[in-house]
Amino acid sequence: MGSSDASQARNIHQYPQHSQEKLALQAEIEPAVQGAESGSPPEAETIQQLEQALLKTRKRFDSFISAAGHELRTPLTTIKGNAQLALRRLEKLRRKVGQQEQIDASALGADLERLQQPLDYIVYRVNEQDKMISDLLDVSRVQSGKISIVMRPCNLVQIVQNAVQNMHEMNRVIDLTVPEEESQIAIHADPERVEQALNALLSNAMKYSMPDRPVKVLLTIEEREASRMAQVQVQDYGTGIPADELDNIWDISYRVKGIEVQDGSSVGLGLGLFLFRALIERQQGAIGVHSVPGEGSLFWFTLPLAQQES
Ligand code: ADP
């Protein structure tokens, strides 16, 4: 990235504590809360404001349920179609083998390959749906304060390498840079939860940039105000995000209008960044984003190094 045009939106955001939506909702219910605290009966206007705030929340919830239902059903259509296709191909193969006394090995190989394709697709779509359901359950655990995070000594280099390695199966170029001298960056965290958080960034980087664009992952040690933190950056060269949307993207099911999926994958439930933020913050980490519309985005997180723990 990197442009010197001062008029261009260049945004560095850290710790957006309240989204605009939450602030608006708080402002709306504030008079009612104050009224209730002082013991005075609520004014008609206050009741009306409360009703409007509730209606807005309800609308948001309804649209999430309808989008989630749609997204969860989409893989089922492909799963069903491919299962039927595999069954038809299997039946055809069975008849063919039954009719032939001599089996032609190369023809059989090609038929088996044709059988493999829909089965692979089924597994891919089942995994996709499984991931959406896990995210949904994790969001509910975060909100009820019951998300399980088991902190222990672990190696961030290994976690990042695993995550990048798993994403390579998606046929995308992901450049990983780790500090030359460090094969081990000891952190005190939950390795599965850190990998889950990083996966959310990696899949967004791939989703919101064209398949021929690389994704860069950079692992560094940051010195800040006498403390040392490990930092992971995920850089994409995709759509970028407008400055006035950077506070909102961490909300459940918030999608930036006008930003479309670029790589043909499904849109998902809109829970990735909410979970990313919750998982990192619950491990004493910090998060942030730097984005230039039309050029790309850089999401990052830091985690405290293990030796700083007492
Ligand atoms: P989802 O991607 O499933 O919609 P997320 O919570 O992961 O949900 O992201 C919220 C929104 O933030 C996305 O819908 C998209 O509009 C925007 N966004 C997230 N990551 C990126 C990115 N790397 N580039 C551009 N837009 C992004």
Side-chain angles (χ1 to χ4, degrees):
M1 253 176 8
S3 158
S4 54
D5 185 356
S7 66
Q8 195 160 32
R10 168 159 281 212
N11 318 294
I12 299 178
H13 267 234
Q14 301 177 28
Y15 275 120
Q17 292 296 344
H18 298 287
S19 70
Q20 284 162 3
E21 190 178 7
K22 276 185 216 137
L23 288 172
L25 206 61
Q26 266 171 11
E28 279 174 69
I29 64 170
E30 192 60 26
V33 173
Q34 277 172 5
E37 278 168 1
S38 68
S40 55
E43 305 265 333
E45 196 191 337
T46 310
I47 294 176
Q48 205 185 0
Q49 278 172 346
L50 260 181
E51 278 173 357
Q52 273 170 6
L54 280 174
L55 206 69
K56 222 189 237 175
T57 312
R58 166 84 194 271
K59 255 180 152 172
R60 184 83 194 277
F61 179 71
D62 287 348
S63 82
F64 172 67
I65 293 295
S66 120
H70 177 76
E71 284 305 308
L72 284 167
R73 179 180 269 167
T74 306
L76 284 181
T77 316
T78 338
I79 291 166
K80 195 170 159 191
N82 279 279
Q84 287 166 339
L85 182 63
L87 283 172
R88 279 201 302 276
R89 287 184 179 170
L90 182 66
E91 182 53 30
K92 221 166 154 184
L93 184 60
R94 197 177 274 133
R95 267 190 271 125
K96 209 164 153 186
V97 170
Q99 284 162 5
Q100 287 170 7
E101 282 168 19
Q102 285 268 317
I103 309 269
D104 174 346
S106 75
L108 181 64
D111 284 337
L112 288 175
E113 184 58 35
R114 277 166 52 78
L115 198 53
Q116 178 83 36
Q117 287 162 2
L119 294 175
D120 283 345
Y121 212 42
I122 289 170
V123 172
Y124 174 76
R125 288 298 200 171
V126 166
N127 285 338
E128 199 175 65
Q129 200 182 36
D130 188 36
K131 161 91 179 44
M132 283 195 264
I133 293 169
S134 303
D135 280 358
L136 211 48
L137 292 174
D138 276 344
V139 165
S140 133
R141 289 182 191 119
V142 164
Q143 291 199 310
S144 62
K146 289 185 185 147
I147 186 96
S148 135
I149 294 183
V150 185
M151 307 284 273
R152 51 198 189 274
C154 51
N155 178 8
L156 186 59
V157 177
Q158 183 74 59
I159 298 169
V160 174
Q161 280 171 342
N162 276 352
V164 168
Q165 187 60 41
N166 292 338
M167 291 289 170
H168 271 138
E169 285 161 22
M170 316 284 289
N171 286 331
R172 284 292 290 260
V173 175
I174 304 181
D175 292 336
L176 170 61
T177 310
V178 293
E180 242 169 55
E181 66 283 11
E182 312 270 0
S183 61
Q184 168 117 4
I185 295 180
I187 55 167
H188 192 70
D190 181 329
E192 282 84 30
R193 293 300 189 187
V194 175
E195 190 169 334
Q196 182 183 356
L198 176 55
N199 281 341
L201 294 190
L202 291 173
S203 37
N204 278 350
M206 294 192 290
K207 214 155 85 169
Y208 299 109
S209 62
M210 295 299 283
D212 60 348
R213 313 255 54 203
V215 170
K216 291 188 179 166
V217 180
L218 178 65
L219 185 48
T220 49
I221 306 270
E222 293 289 295
E223 314 270 349
R224 264 190 215 166
E225 292 155 12
S227 75
R228 294 177 81 226
M229 307 279 281
Q231 186 183 62
V232 180
Q233 298 178 1
V234 176
Q235 165 85 68
D236 67 59
Y237 299 88
T239 60
I241 304 166
D244 59 355
E245 291 285 7
L246 289 177
D247 277 351
N248 300 325
I249 55 176
W250 317 94
D251 276 348
I252 290 179
S253 188
Y254 189 88
R255 292 213 171 91
V256 180
K257 281 201 183 72
I259 291 186
E260 306 294 341
V261 172
Q262 306 286 304
D263 71 344
S265 63
S266 68
V267 281
L269 297 180
L271 307 176
L273 289 181
F274 173 85
L275 274 176
F276 160 71
R277 178 183 175 188
L279 292 174
I280 296 299
E281 289 183 354
R282 273 161 185 72
Q283 298 179 77
Q284 284 75 56
I287 57 149
V289 58
H290 165 110
S291 196
V292 182
E295 287 192 24
S297 308
L298 187 155
F299 282 84
W300 59 262
F301 64 90
T302 58
L303 285 167
L305 293 172
Q307 56 264 37
Q308 289 183 337
E309 306 275 323
S310 55

